[in-house]
Amino acid sequence: MTEPAIHRLSPLPSQTGLSDDDIAALYTEGAGEPWLRVNFVSSVDGAATHQGLSGGLSNDADSRVFALLRRLCDVVLVGAGTVRAEGYGPMRVDPVSERARSGAGMTPNPVFAIVSAALDLDPRSGIFRDAPERPIVLTTELSRPEMREALAEVADVVVCGRDRVQADRGLAVLHERGLTRIHCEGGPHLFADLIAARVVDELCLTISPQLEAGTASRIAIGAAPIVPLGMRLAHTLTGDDTLLLRYVRN
Ligand SMILES: NC(=O)c1ccc[n+]([C@@H]2O[C@H](COP(=O)([O-])OP(=O)(O)OC[C@H]3O[C@@H](n4cnc5c(N)ncnc54)[C@H](OP(=O)(O)O)[C@@H]3O)[C@@H](O)[C@H]2O)c1
């Protein structure tokens, strides 16, 4: 399959489509360690879902960058609402990414870290049963002890707050394990908590060329900081009539 062409609009326009290595270099430029990157796709009018899922907003250009961002991280962090809605399976990257990661001295696949208070997660599901790396579940003191126990058979279960996972404690758990390149794939409630805790270093936002209207959520919803988090536009890519924006914190 031929790759969808992606060009750079800023800082300087690229004349030819970018290679995967070019794109990866753009997404690692200026990234510190530890680093929390968040990735979302939105319609032009701000919807985070089409018919309840993000997939209907994505296209080949978005999928290409989505896969590359997984290639670059130590851990993929996702809220349980997204895991359930999107039907996540085991955290496994494509074979090309596996080889690239191994060549770069990384584990072939990133760790999957799930944030949940209710722990409505099935320990027998493929997420855990077929996981190439032992997953991590970040949860709360008020979660059901029997669910914590059942999930502890198949994952590292760590309490990081009383009734909500506190972002700083959750990130500390990942950092302690050497998982410093953190890639969050949402969803909107988790993203809002991360913004409120002022721990977001980067937002990768795909603007998909469609109008949705309706009642879909935006990409961050819930807790709000009193002082907005200032961001700087690091680059703008385009492909498939789509904008691929990279914002990093000021
Ligand atoms: N456009 C995109 O790029 C994109 C990306 C991701 C998701 N989505 C869409 O967003 C929708 C899901 O939205 P959502 O806001 O429910 O997603 P979410 O933030 O992934 O899920 C919320 C759930 O995650 C857990 N959670 C999040 N933050 C927590 C915290 N600080 N402490 C404890 N638990 C926490 C809780 O799970 P428990 O209920 O288990 O306690 C909470 O109910 C889906 O339709 C999905 O398709 C879109």
Side-chain angles (χ1 to χ4, degrees):
M1 198 185 85
T2 52
E3 282 174 337
I6 291 183
H7 297 271
R8 189 172 70 213
L9 288 181
S10 75
L12 286 171
S14 61
Q15 301 304 320
T16 52
L18 300 175
S19 69
D20 281 355
D21 287 346
D22 295 334
I23 296 173
L26 283 166
Y27 281 96
T28 39
E29 202 175 276
E33 257 186 64
W35 191 257
L36 173 61
R37 165 180 291 148
V38 179
N39 184 49
F40 271 95
V41 60
S42 163
S43 68
V44 181
D45 59 333
T49 56
H50 168 80
Q51 295 180 341
L53 294 176
S54 62
L57 300 175
S58 185
N59 55 24
D60 287 348
D62 177 60
S63 302
R64 187 173 167 202
V65 169
F66 184 89
L68 280 170
L69 296 182
R70 280 191 175 179
R71 188 184 293 184
L72 298 174
C73 71
D74 298 317
V75 56
V76 178
L77 178 69
V78 191
T82 296
V83 171
R84 291 189 289 259
E86 300 273 345
Y88 270 66
M91 186 50 63
R92 195 179 279 288
V93 297
D94 58 80
V96 177
S97 292
E98 272 195 16
R99 281 196 297 279
R101 291 174 58 89
S102 301
M106 303 165 81
T107 55
N109 290 280
V111 172
F112 195 178
I114 301 173
V115 181
S116 172
L119 290 186
D120 183 10
L121 299 163
D122 183 355
R124 294 161 305 175
S125 75
I127 292 175
F128 302 104
R129 202 189 51 231
D130 303 326
E133 297 289 330
R134 189 172 167 85
I136 298 172
V137 176
L138 303 172
T139 191
T140 61
E141 275 171 44
L142 296 182
S143 61
R144 285 171 294 159
E146 69 275 16
M147 276 314 297
R148 289 209 296 266
E149 216 168 284
L151 286 163
E153 298 282 326
V154 289
D156 288 358
V157 180
V158 190
V159 169
C160 302
R162 188 171 153 71
D163 56 352
R164 301 282 300 164
V165 169
Q166 288 172 18
D168 55 344
R169 288 178 62 180
L171 295 188
V173 167
L174 304 180
H175 297 164
E176 278 159 18
R177 288 164 167 71
L179 306 172
T180 53
R181 289 167 288 192
I182 303 168
H183 174 52
C184 176
E185 294 180 355
H189 280 91
L190 176 58
F191 186 31
D193 283 354
L194 297 173
I195 295 171
R198 309 188 81 76
V199 293
V200 176
D201 295 306
E202 174 179 338
L203 171 65
C204 298
L205 177 63
T206 299
I207 307 285
S208 192
Q210 59 199 59
L211 295 170
E212 286 289 326
T215 55
S217 165
R218 51 198 282 258
I219 64 168
I221 193 156
I226 294 163
V227 181
L229 209 55
M231 306 297 278
R232 169 178 73 77
L233 182 61
H235 72 225
T236 312
L237 310 182
T238 187
D240 276 349
D241 294 319
T242 299
L243 286 177
L244 300 142
L245 309 173
R246 180 182 186 232
Y247 282 94
V248 296
R249 80 190 291 174
N250 270 330

